[in-house]
Amino acid sequence: MRDTKYLTLKENLLRKITRGELPAGEKIPSENALASSYNISRQTVRKALSELTEEGYLCPVHGKGTFVSQWAVHTKTSKNIAVVTTYLSDYIFPRVIQGIEHVLTAHGYSIMLKTTGNSRAAEARCIEELLSKDIDGLIIEPSKSQISCRHTSLYEQMEEYDIPYVFIQGFFQQLKEKPYVVMDDKKGGYLITRYLLEKGHRKILGIFKADDHQGQQRHNGYVKALQEYGILYDPEYVVWYYTEDREMKPRDTISTFIQNDMELDAVVCYNDQIAVEVIRTLREHGKKVPRDVAVTGFDNSLLAKNNHVPITTVSHPQEKLGSMAAELLLKLIEKKELTEAELHVKVEPEIVERGST
C-alpha cells in the first residue's frame, strides 16, 4: 500500500521547487515544522526529504538545515533552449537564429536569446545566469574563440547539471571535443584564394580576424593555396585585426598600401563587411574594383549581393547552420548515440562569383 502522506509531502515540495516557489539556495522548513504543517510524523518527513536529497533536489548542510540545491532548478522539462550569440544585430546571425527557431518551435521549444558583444567576460556572465535558470539546452557562438577560454569550469558545470550544449560558428580549442556545427573555414579560405590565383593574381593581401576560430582557419586556407602555387608567404601581405579595431585596421592598411605604392592586385577579406570597407577605401584612393584590384568576401550576405560592386564571396548557409545546430542539440537532449561526424559538423563552402573579381 502506498504511503500517501509521504508522497503528498514529497510532491508538494517538488512542485514548489520546480515552480521556483522554493528557489535554489533557499532553506526549507525544519522537520518539526513540516511534520506539524502536514500532520505527519518526523519519520515520514525524513523519508520524503531523503528521497528528494537522493534525487538531487535538496542538499542538507550539517548544523544549518536543508536547502534547495543549485541543480534543482534544472528539471529538463522547461522546453526552454538558450541561444547565445556575439552580436544579435550582426548581418549573419538573424538568419542563423531563424534556422534554430524553425527547428525548435516545431518540437515545442521556446528560445531564450542572449548576446555577449564578443566579450569573454560577458559570455561568462551569460552562462552563470543561465545556470540559475531552468533550460533544457544551449546553443552558443563562443566569444573570441581563438583566445584561450578562462571559464571552462562553467561549461563543466553545465555538464554536471546535465545540460547539453552545442557550439556554432566556432569553438574553443580546450573544448574542441564538444559538439559543434561550423563552416569548413579553412577550405573556404583555400577555395577563394585559389580562385584568385587561377585568375592570375599574385600580390594577394589577406585580411583576417585574429581573435576568433574562423579567422585563423580562413588564414590557414589562404596559406595552403599560396603554397600550392609556389608563392612565398609574405607577412607584409597578411593583416590581422581584432574585434576592437575592426572598423579602422582594414581601412588603414589599404590606405597605407596605396600611399606606399606597394603592389596589390587582389584582397582576400575575412568577411563581406570587411570587403565592403576595402572596396570603399580603394574607391576613395581612385582605384577601380575589379579593374585595378579584385576583392573577395566571405558569408554571401546581403551586403555582398547589394554592394554597388557586387562582391565575390564564399557561401555561408546561415539558416542551414542554425537548423543543423538545433537538430544536433535535440539529439543530445534525447541522449541519442552519435558518431564523430554527427557530433562535429563541418558545412562545405562554395564560391559565389560576382562583379568584384
Side-chain angles (χ1 to χ4, degrees), residues 81 83 96-105 107 109 111 139 166 168 181 319-333:
I81 300 293
V83 177
V96 175
I97 293 168
Q98 285 176 14
I100 293 172
E101 189 173 31
H102 178 74
V103 172
L104 294 181
T105 53
H107 287 79
Y109 286 89
I111 290 178
I139 296 173
V166 172
I168 189 169
V181 176
E319 287 190 41
K320 179 181 178 181
L321 222 68
S323 62
M324 292 174 78
E327 287 164 0
L328 174 54
L329 183 63
L330 290 176
K331 290 175 184 176
L332 294 172
I333 290 172

Side-chain angles (χ1 to χ4, degrees), residues 23 26 36 38 65 67-68 70 88 97 103 123 127 174 202 211 221 238 242 246 270 277 284 319-320 335 346:
E26 177 109 346
S36 176
Y38 287 84
F67 297 81
V68 178
Q70 291 291 331
L88 183 58
I97 293 168
V103 172
E123 178 177 309
I127 298 175
Q174 304 107 298
R202 292 298 180 266
D211 53 11
V238 175
Y242 291 84
R246 66 187 183 276
Y270 166 78
E277 293 304 314
E284 289 171 358
E319 287 190 41
K320 179 181 178 181
K335 299 189 181 300
K346 284 190 176 181

Side-chain angles (χ1 to χ4, degrees), residues 65 99 102 106 148 174 183 194 203 209-210 246 254 257 269 321 333 337-338 342:
H102 178 74
S148 180
Q174 304 107 298
M183 286 290 298
R194 189 184 71 179
K203 291 297 183 179
K209 197 162 185 282
R246 66 187 183 276
I254 295 298
F257 259 72
C269 298
L321 222 68
I333 290 172
E337 291 290 329
L338 300 175
E342 290 173 318

Side-chain angles (χ1 to χ4, degrees), residues 22 32 54 141 158 176 183 226 259 263 266 288 345:
L22 285 173
N32 285 335
E54 288 177 7
E141 180 195 23
M158 296 282 288
K176 64 181 179 181
M183 286 290 298
L226 293 180
Q259 290 163 4
E263 289 185 76
K288 299 286 187 180
V345 181

Side-chain angles (χ1 to χ4, degrees), residues 76-144:
K76 314 299 184 301
T77 58
S78 69
K79 305 297 283 188
N80 289 325
I81 300 293
V83 177
V84 178
T85 73
T86 52
Y87 300 103
L88 183 58
S89 60
D90 189 281
Y91 72 118
I92 289 176
F93 242 89
R95 297 286 299 278
V96 175
I97 293 168
Q98 285 176 14
I100 293 172
E101 189 173 31
H102 178 74
V103 172
L104 294 181
T105 53
H107 287 79
Y109 286 89
S110 298
I111 290 178
M112 298 170 57
L113 193 58
K114 294 189 173 294
T115 60
T116 65
N118 206 28
S119 161
R120 288 181 298 164
E123 178 177 309
R125 289 194 296 271
C126 271
I127 298 175
E128 286 175 346
E129 181 183 348
L130 291 171
L131 284 166
S132 69
K133 297 184 182 297
D134 192 8
I135 59 173
D136 294 358
L138 167 68
I139 296 173
I140 182 165
E141 180 195 23
S143 299
K144 298 187 177 180

Side-chain angles (χ1 to χ4, degrees), residues 191-257:
L191 289 176
I192 200 68
T193 307
R194 189 184 71 179
Y195 165 85
L196 290 170
L197 290 164
E198 288 173 348
K199 283 185 166 290
H201 300 295
R202 292 298 180 266
K203 291 297 183 179
I204 303 175
L205 174 68
I207 303 177
F208 304 103
K209 197 162 185 282
D211 53 11
D212 69 21
H213 175 266
Q214 299 99 303
Q216 187 66 51
Q217 291 302 306
R218 292 171 194 179
H219 167 263
N220 290 345
Y222 163 88
V223 173
K224 180 183 177 183
L226 293 180
Q227 289 174 339
E228 284 189 3
Y229 272 73
I231 296 176
L232 187 65
Y233 181 86
D234 187 345
E236 288 192 12
Y237 278 78
V238 175
V239 177
W240 293 100
Y241 71 93
Y242 291 84
T243 298
E244 292 75 14
D245 61 5
R246 66 187 183 276
E247 294 182 5
M248 295 302 299
K249 185 71 173 287
R251 288 175 60 86
D252 289 346
T253 298
I254 295 298
S255 295
T256 299
F257 259 72

